[in-house]
């Protein structure tokens, strides 16, 4: 990762900032992988939500990265 990977930061990012970016990238990758698996298996957001016992909007928000 180069310093241009950290918009808004002056100078070289700290180790903590680098770790934060790495963790965020991995979390986003996991979300995309889960969404891809859902689609690959022909499941709708509603199917997943029903299996989890949650509202479909919650699954949708998770897949968009706007909630945990």
């Amino acid at each position: 990762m180069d310093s241009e990977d950290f918009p808004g930061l002056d100078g070289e990012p700290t180790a903590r900032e680098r770790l934060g970016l790495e963790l965020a990238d991995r979390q986003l990758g996991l979300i995309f992988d889960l969404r891809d698996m859902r689609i690959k298996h022909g499941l709708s957001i509603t199917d997943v939500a029903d299996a989890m016992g949650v509202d479909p909007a919650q699954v949708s928000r998770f897949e968009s990265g706007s909630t945990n």
Side-chain angles (χ1 to χ4, degrees):
M1 280 181 244
D2 296 325
S3 59
E4 63 264 8
D5 292 330
F6 296 86
L9 292 179
D10 293 329
E12 191 65 25
T14 66
R16 186 179 192 140
E17 291 165 335
R18 287 181 178 279
L19 177 60
L21 180 62
E22 177 66 26
L23 292 174
D25 284 345
R26 287 181 184 215
Q27 181 178 6
L28 191 57
L30 174 63
I31 291 168
F32 289 155
D33 289 347
L34 289 171
R35 183 200 60 207
D36 292 345
M37 290 294 289
R38 174 184 63 75
I39 293 167
K40 177 182 175 184
H41 290 282
L43 298 170
S44 69
I45 286 176
T46 302
D47 294 331
V48 173
D50 288 347
M52 294 174 62
V54 299
D55 188 89
Q58 191 171 356
V59 174
S60 180
R61 285 190 302 269
F62 175 79
E63 287 189 358
S64 73
S66 63
T67 190
N68 288 331

